[in-house]
Structures are given as C-alpha cells and as structure tokens.
C-alpha cells in the first residue's frame, strides 16, 4: 500500500541515511525529525520566540565569538536535548552550508585591473584577488550566518508545522495566510505521494530509459499531476462541506503552558550571552 | 413502524446534462437500521450519499429529515446529523495533526472549546488512536488513516453515519477492526449506511440491502430476499454470498434438513451443522 511506503521510507532512512532515498531528502526529513524531537512538549511559542531572539542577537552582536557560542549551544539544544543524532543534524546543516560557502566566496573575492591583494589570479581581462582582511571578514560572516541558521534550526527541528501555524495565528498573522499554509502543507505530501507513485509506475514501464523518453514521461507526469490536483481539490471540498465547513478553518489547538523553568533558563542563558558579548566587545 | 429518520422522494441528479446519475430514488430510512448499499461502480451510490448529506443538491426531488423538508436554510441541519466517512481517507483528512483533524467537524459545529476537546478525546479513544494524537497524517499507515477518518465523523456525534466503501483497501486485521466498530455503533442505536462490493459482508452484517443499478434502486429488502432474487443479482451484476450458496447446495444434496434458518456467518454455520 502506498501510504505504508511513505512510513517505511522514513523509518528506512534511520538505518541507512547515506544509502538510497536521495530523491526526497531535505524538506520531508526535517518535518519527520521535528515530529520526533524530545523537546516537542515545550511550549511552541516559547521555542519559536527563543530561536528568533537568538537569531536576532547573533546578527546584531556581529561578533565571531558570540556566533561560535550560539553555534555550539544551538547544536547542544537540538542534539543533546532534542535527541536528534549528530550525524542527522549535520546532514540537515549541509543544505545551508552549501549556500553559505558559495555565497561567501563571492564576498571574499574581488576584482581589479592591477595585480593587488595578498593573493591574486590573472584572468585575461584582469585580476581576481584576495586579501587577508577580506578572508577574515568572510570567515566571520560565515560564522555569523551559521550561528543564525543554527538558532533557527532549534525551531525548525523541534516544531512540526501545525504547531508553527498555531503560533503564527496567535501572533495575529492574517488567517487567510495561516489557512493557506495549512492546506499547502497537507497538499505537498499528497502530491508528492501521487507523483512518486506515477514515477515508479512509469519507471517500471521503462519510461525513464533514455533522455528523450525521460523528458516525455516527466511531461506526462507533470500534466497528469495537475489534473489530479484539480480532482483532489474537488473531493476535498466535498469532504469539508460534509463536515459543515462554512468558510473558516478552525482546529482545536493544544495549550501547552510555558514551563517557568524553561523561561528562567532561557533568561539566564540570554543574559549570560549578552554579558559575554559586552565583556569582549 | 415508527417515523423514518430520513425520507427521500423521487430524487434526480445529473452530472452532465445528458446522463442521469440518480434517476428517481425513493427510500425511507428508519432509526437504528443497518443498511448495506450495493451495486456496481458508477451505479450512483456515492452520488446518492452526497445528495442525502446535502453536499450535492438534487435537480429534482425532496429529502425529509425527521419529517421536516430540507430546504437551503435547513441544509446545515442535515450535514450536522448525517456524517460521511469517505472512501479515500486522503481525500478527507485536511489538518496537519490527527487531533486537529478530528476537531475540524466539532469546531465547525461551533461547540464550546471544552466540548470539542471532550469529543476529540472520546473519538480517539473510540477508534483506539489516542497515541497518534500529535502525529501528522502523512506518517500514518492506510489502516491508521482510515481510523482517523472514522474518528472525524464519530466526534461530530451524528445520528446517521454513512461509510463509502470502508472495506476497500483495508487489510484483514483492519477489516475486523472496522466490523467491531460497526457493531459498537449499532449497539448505540446509530443508523448506519454502508456501500460495499463485498457481498459476503453485506449478507452477514446488514438487516436491509439497497441495490443500486443505473441510478435507480432496483431492490430493497432483507439480504436473504435480495440475494435469492436471481433477476436482481443478474441485473446489478452481483455475485451471491458464499454462505448462501453453500447452504443451498447442502440442502439440495440432502446433507442438511431445510429448516429455513439461513446461516449468515461461520459461527452460525458451525452451530447449524453441529446440531
């Protein structure tokens, strides 16, 4: 059965993450980790708030030592307290790391007509050059971005989407947007499932044998997916109507009271971080 | 007999202008009945369900709920009291966690928070899915999704529950679970309508069978009377229940005395030959 395939492919990833299943890493595995985090019972508002404050602090402080502290503590919260294995945490981080490294390379390297800088490379229309200072600045920038990303991952890797939506709703985000997020999130997984099944069935009929047939199969699957999306939207609407849908999306939301211990610990941590920054500034 | 809970008079519904999906359906449904709705694909079963739930509005015909005629104004009343468990749970589940999903119906009924919470917990216990409460639906197996879809409707506490082909795509273990749930709902005096292609299930479970064919009800009666009517069986392209065939074959070959007691399941059959 197709649904069981989803469940199995996710549990399968536990055992051989580096093995197969390369086609659907990223988004869906982050979602899976979030659902199994050990710090999920914390108040979602607190988790989201804490990681956003930490993120902002990392950017505003703009100091490599502060960034390092945040990188380490964020890893400790997600891995140590959240119970995510270090290898998986690292594999999730590789996604932003790639972008960070590519992006900062552009910041580090400059362009000139003269051979200046500490290192330079002649290209026939001019020179690409690097200085020690620009290298150091880039390193600090990488640390800062990396710190900010780690802070954000405290939230991402412990908050399943429905909790995030309810936090957004409580934060007075327009209900139209929150409702759309709800539906889009649910729909992504349904369409992924449908797409995977169609792809597998095309593959089993040699639909991806060579480049030309691959293009053809891909096009067929894409257009079919569109039609199925429309059909499913109709079926969905009927099912919602049958349950008295009247135009507003309303779900029961769990009230996790924020644990005072967590608030105090977060307060102490942020104060310590602040004083550390003030001391070394 | 007492007053029907739901009465349908001469219902017509067209999907396209030329072809009638429902062509003059009239039926009365009484409180606490266990009705199996059978008929081939495209015979109009699902369309009929969507019509009596008020999702589709008929071209022509009347629906009475507890004796009151359903108009545009009283449509919500119909939806409140008649719940449909859809065939494909993936077309029904909309929320991103099981608990939120089950709360969708009760929240739409505008119940107070405590009542919604009570009903959600009750429905999860009923379907034995309390431990999945916080999971997103896409990490559930097919059988688990079906349970969530049923809990969705139980939480709304309707009088009439419609199951659209519930046994399709269920493994044997989940099919047994489903029958237990149906038994429990029956004991609570809920009126149940189930569409199915499983004639053996219809034969042993139902007390009344409606046979759909080309948008019409061509037979309405006890399972025994319907399946013994060869003309109906042929016209609706049904097969006869195995238990009925076995019993009649045994009687014909003189292995069993014809006492007119038709066994509906294995337990009754064992009792019969044990005597």
């Amino acid at each position: 059965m197709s649904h069981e395939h989803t469940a199995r492919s996710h549990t399968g990833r536990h055992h051989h993450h580096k093995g197969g299943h390369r086609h659907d890493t990223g988004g869906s595995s982050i979602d899976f980790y979030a659902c199994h985090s050990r710090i999920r019972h914390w108040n979602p508002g607190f988790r989201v708030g804490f990681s956003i404050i930490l993120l902002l602090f990392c950017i505003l402080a703009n100091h490599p030592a502060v960034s390092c502290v945040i990188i380490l503590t964020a890893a400790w919260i997600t891995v140590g307290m959240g119970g995510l294995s270090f290898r998986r945490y690292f594999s999730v981080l590789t996604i932003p790391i790639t972008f960070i490294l590519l992006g900062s390379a552009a910041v580090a390297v400059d362009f000139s007509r003269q051979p200046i800088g500490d290192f330079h490379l002649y290209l026939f229309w001019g020179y690409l050059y690097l200085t020690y200072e620009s290298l150091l600045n880039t390193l600090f920038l990488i640390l800062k971005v990396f710190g900010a990303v780690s802070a954000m991952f405290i939230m991402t890797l412990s908050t399943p989407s429905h909790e995030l939506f309810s936090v957004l709703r409580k934060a007075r985000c327009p209900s139209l947007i929150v409702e759309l997020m709800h539906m889009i999130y649910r729909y992504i997984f349904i369409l992924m499932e449908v797409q995977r099944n169609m792809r597998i069935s095309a593959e089993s009929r040699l639909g991806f044998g060579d480049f030309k047939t691959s293009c053809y199969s891909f096009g067929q699957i894409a257009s079919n997916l569109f039609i199925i999306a429309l059909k499913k939207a109709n079926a969905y609407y009927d099912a919602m109507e049958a349950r008295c849908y009247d135009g507003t999306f309303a779900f029961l939301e769990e009230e996790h009271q924020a644990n005072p211990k967590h608030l105090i610990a977060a307060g102490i941590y942020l104060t310590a971080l602040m004083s550390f920054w003030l001391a070394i500034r | 007999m007492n007053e029907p809970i739901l009465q349908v008079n001469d219902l017509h519904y067209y999907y396209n202008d030329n072809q009638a999906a429902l062509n003059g359906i009239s039926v009365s449904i009484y409180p606490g009945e266990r009705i199996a709705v059978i008929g081939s694909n495209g015979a109009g079963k699902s369309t009929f369900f969507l019509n009596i739930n008020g999702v589709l509005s008929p071209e022509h015909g009347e629906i009475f709920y507890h004796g009151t005629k359903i108009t545009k104004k009283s449509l919500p009343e119909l939806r409140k009291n008649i719940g449909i468990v859809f065939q494909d749970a993936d077309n029904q589940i909309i929320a991103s966690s099981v608990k939120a999903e089950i709360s969708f119906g009760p929240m739409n009924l505008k119940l107070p928070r405590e009542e919604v919470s009570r009903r959600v917990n009750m429905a999860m216990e009923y379907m034995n899915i309390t431990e999945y409460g916080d999971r997103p639906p896409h990490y559930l197996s097919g059988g688990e999704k079906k349970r969530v879809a049923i809990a969705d409707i139980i939480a709304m506490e309707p009088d009439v529950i419609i199951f659209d082909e519930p046994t399709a795509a269920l493994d044997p273990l989940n099919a047994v679970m489903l029958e237990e749930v149906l038994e429990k709902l029956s004991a609570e005096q809920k009126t149940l309508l189930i569409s199915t292609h499983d004639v053996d299930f219809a034969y042993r479970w139902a007390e009344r069978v409606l046979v759909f064919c080309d948008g019409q009800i061509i037979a309405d009666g006890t399972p025994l009377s319907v399946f013994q009517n060869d003309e109906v069986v042929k016209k609706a392209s049904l097969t006869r229940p195995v238990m009925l065939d076995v019993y009649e074959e045994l009687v014909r070959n003189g292995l069993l005395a014809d006492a007119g007691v038709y066994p509906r399941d294995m337990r009754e059959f064992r009792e019969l030959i044990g005597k």
Side-chain angles (χ1 to χ4, degrees), chain B residues 208-222:
Chain B
R208 181 174 170 196
V209 172
L210 302 179
V211 182
F212 273 69
C213 184
D214 295 331
Q216 285 178 316
I217 295 181
I218 59 166
D220 173 1
T222 62

Side-chain angles (χ1 to χ4, degrees), chain B residues 1-11 22 25-33 35 37 45 47-56 58 62-71 74-84 158-163 189-194 208 210 212 217 220:
Chain B
M1 216 174 194
N2 49 0
E3 184 205 344
I5 191 165
L6 196 68
Q7 196 182 343
V8 178
N9 285 340
D10 197 29
L11 204 67
L22 295 180
I25 300 281
S26 297
V27 66
S28 295
I29 291 161
Y30 296 91
E33 277 191 309
I35 302 176
V37 178
K45 304 183 300 271
T47 314
F48 173 65
F49 290 158
L50 289 176
N51 267 286
I52 58 175
N53 186 252
V55 173
L56 299 180
E62 297 163 317
I63 298 171
F64 294 89
Y65 178 74
H66 275 304
T68 355
K69 190 176 169 199
I70 296 300
T71 55
S74 52
L75 207 61
E77 202 55 33
L78 199 63
R79 289 187 191 159
K80 231 180 259 184
N81 293 298
I82 299 176
I84 304 187
D159 294 334
V160 182
I161 304 183
I162 297 167
F163 291 80
Q189 292 303 307
K190 300 274 185 202
T191 310
L192 303 176
L193 267 93
I194 300 186
R208 181 174 170 196
L210 302 179
F212 273 69
I217 295 181
D220 173 1

Side-chain angles (χ1 to χ4, degrees), chain A residues 227-242:
Chain A
I227 292 164
I228 287 175
L230 289 180
K231 273 192 170 174
K232 287 232 170 203
N234 265 332
Y236 248 80
Y237 190 69
D238 282 352
M240 282 161 68
E241 287 252 280

Side-chain angles (χ1 to χ4, degrees), chain A:
Chain A
M1 173 161 300
S2 52
H3 315 300
E4 270 144 22
H5 175 77
T6 328
R8 231 184 307 118
S9 76
H10 279 290
T11 39
R13 210 172 2 248
H14 278 259
H15 307 300
H16 42 88
H17 191 242
K18 289 275 178 248
H21 306 298
R22 293 301 299 175
H23 53 282
D24 64 346
T25 45
S28 62
S29 60
I30 289 176
D31 182 75
F32 184 74
Y33 300 153
C35 291
H36 290 80
S37 173
R38 279 209 302 260
I39 55 173
R40 241 195 89 176
H41 60 277
W42 292 6
N43 176 288
F46 166 74
R47 255 180 285 143
V48 174
F50 178 71
S51 57
I52 288 175
I53 291 171
L54 205 57
L55 168 89
L56 290 178
F57 187 73
C58 182
I59 292 168
L60 292 176
N62 197 13
H63 195 289
V66 173
S67 304
C68 286
V69 172
I70 290 177
I71 291 170
L72 290 177
T73 43
W76 181 69
I77 290 173
T78 308
V79 175
M81 300 171 86
L84 186 70
S85 86
F86 184 76
R87 215 188 57 208
R88 268 183 242 157
Y89 181 62
F90 188 75
S91 81
V92 171
L93 275 180
T94 49
I95 306 167
I97 283 176
T98 323
F99 285 103
I100 294 171
L101 292 180
L102 285 174
S104 36
V107 176
V109 178
D110 222 329
F111 182 71
S112 160
R113 289 229 174 263
Q114 271 78 45
I116 53 168
D118 298 308
F119 308 98
H120 54 250
L121 176 72
Y122 178 72
L123 293 171
F124 60 93
W125 65 85
Y127 292 89
L128 287 176
Y129 72 94
L130 279 169
T131 61
Y132 284 117
E133 206 200 339
S134 76
L135 268 182
L136 203 62
N137 276 338
T138 307
L139 183 68
F140 290 172
L141 180 69
I142 289 176
L143 282 175
K144 187 168 80 171
V145 176
F146 197 40
V149 168
S150 321
M152 215 62 230
F153 268 136
I154 297 178
M155 179 195 86
T156 316
L157 289 172
S158 69
T159 312
S161 303
H162 64 100
E163 287 184 1
L164 189 63
F165 301 155
S166 90
V167 171
L168 282 173
R169 211 179 53 78
K170 279 182 195 140
R172 304 281 151 82
C173 187
S175 64
L176 176 73
I177 292 175
V178 179
E179 285 174 13
L180 274 176
M181 287 172 85
H182 260 297
M183 299 211 83
I184 291 170
Y185 173 74
R186 174 81 183 110
Y187 233 112
I188 285 172
F189 286 94
I190 291 179
L191 288 183
M192 258 169 47
E193 173 96 40
V194 172
Q195 186 270 343
R196 183 171 42 223
N197 288 339
M198 285 198 290
R199 200 193 149 91
I200 288 172
S201 88
E203 261 174 41
S204 77
R205 286 173 291 156
L206 305 177
F208 289 87
D210 57 54
F211 182 72
K212 213 178 137 200
T213 44
S214 295
C215 289
Y216 179 75
S217 304
F218 178 81
Q220 291 286 312
I221 289 173
S223 60
N224 221 350
L225 204 56
F226 177 70
I227 292 164
I228 287 175
L230 289 180
K231 273 192 170 174
K232 287 232 170 203
N234 265 332
Y236 248 80
Y237 190 69
D238 282 352
M240 282 161 68
E241 287 252 280
R243 283 199 284 160
C244 306
Y245 174 69
D246 58 0
T248 48
F249 245 46
F251 300 115
L252 184 67
E253 279 157 5
E254 285 294 297
E255 302 282 346
H256 283 296
Q257 277 305 320
N259 188 339
K261 271 193 215 154
H262 294 156
L263 287 177
I264 294 168
I268 292 173
Y269 171 71
L270 288 173
T271 325
L273 200 62
M274 185 85 88
S275 15
F276 172 65
W277 173 55
L278 291 174
I280 56 167
R281 192 158 62 129

Side-chain angles (χ1 to χ4, degrees), chain B:
Chain B
M1 216 174 194
N2 49 0
E3 184 205 344
I5 191 165
L6 196 68
Q7 196 182 343
V8 178
N9 285 340
D10 197 29
L11 204 67
H12 289 260
Y13 185 86
Y14 305 92
Y15 271 117
N16 297 316
D17 290 334
N18 39 13
Q19 183 130 35
L22 295 180
N23 195 3
I25 300 281
S26 297
V27 66
S28 295
I29 291 161
Y30 296 91
E33 277 191 309
R34 300 146 68 108
I35 302 176
V37 178
I38 54 181
S40 50
N41 295 329
K45 304 183 300 271
S46 299
T47 314
F48 173 65
F49 290 158
L50 289 176
N51 267 286
I52 58 175
N53 186 252
V55 173
L56 299 180
S57 37
E59 233 73 19
H60 165 59
E62 297 163 317
I63 298 171
F64 294 89
Y65 178 74
H66 275 304
T68 355
K69 190 176 169 199
I70 296 300
T71 55
K72 265 232 156 71
K73 231 174 172 180
S74 52
L75 207 61
E77 202 55 33
L78 199 63
R79 289 187 191 159
K80 231 180 259 184
N81 293 298
I82 299 176
I84 304 187
V85 178
F86 283 82
Q87 181 181 358
D88 186 355
D90 262 330
N91 285 347
Q92 187 186 326
I93 298 176
I94 51 161
S96 31
S97 86
V98 169
K99 236 181 214 172
E101 165 62 21
I102 299 172
S103 73
F104 181 72
M107 290 295 271
N108 286 339
L109 298 178
K110 311 290 175 219
L111 298 167
R113 224 195 107 80
E114 297 73 42
E115 176 64 9
V116 174
S117 173
R118 184 193 70 77
R119 286 190 181 195
V120 169
N121 288 328
M122 180 273 295
M124 287 203 295
E125 240 165 74
Y126 205 103
M127 294 311 299
N128 207 2
I129 48 173
T130 309
E131 57 189 302
Y132 309 138
D134 285 327
R135 266 201 238 165
H138 43 268
Y139 296 132
L140 300 176
S141 72
E144 288 163 351
K145 276 187 198 171
K146 193 81 203 178
R147 289 184 197 211
V148 173
I150 298 172
D152 277 351
I153 305 306
I154 288 176
M156 295 178 76
E157 301 187 347
D159 294 334
V160 182
I161 304 183
I162 297 167
F163 291 80
D164 199 355
E165 289 181 32
T167 43
L170 283 189
D171 60 24
L173 194 67
N174 277 306
V176 169
M177 173 282 298
L178 180 81
E179 281 200 44
E180 281 166 9
V181 169
L182 294 178
E183 220 42 69
K184 223 156 101 184
L185 287 169
S186 250
E188 289 166 17
Q189 292 303 307
K190 300 274 185 202
T191 310
L192 303 176
L193 267 93
I194 300 186
S195 79
T196 183
H197 292 300
D198 184 346
V199 286
D200 295 310
F201 166 76
Y203 184 64
R204 70 173 173 266
W205 175 83
E207 55 182 32
R208 181 174 170 196
V209 172
L210 302 179
V211 182
F212 273 69
C213 184
D214 295 331
Q216 285 178 316
I217 295 181
I218 59 166
D220 173 1
T222 62
L224 195 60
S225 71
V226 167
F227 288 116
Q228 278 184 324
N229 186 337
D230 289 333
E231 200 184 323
V232 168
V233 168
K234 190 155 173 267
K235 194 171 173 202
S237 338
L238 301 172
T239 53
R240 280 159 57 96
V242 172
M243 206 47 90
L244 182 62
D245 272 344
V246 168
Y247 177 80
E248 288 190 345
E249 221 41 51
L250 285 176
V251 169
R252 191 185 350 230
N253 288 301
L255 296 166
L256 214 58
D258 186 6
V261 190
Y262 288 78
R264 287 180 303 169
D265 53 27
M266 268 321 282
R267 195 178 52 81
E268 288 182 6
F269 183 70
R270 267 191 219 107
E271 272 170 22
L272 191 73
I273 53 171
K275 261 192 274 185

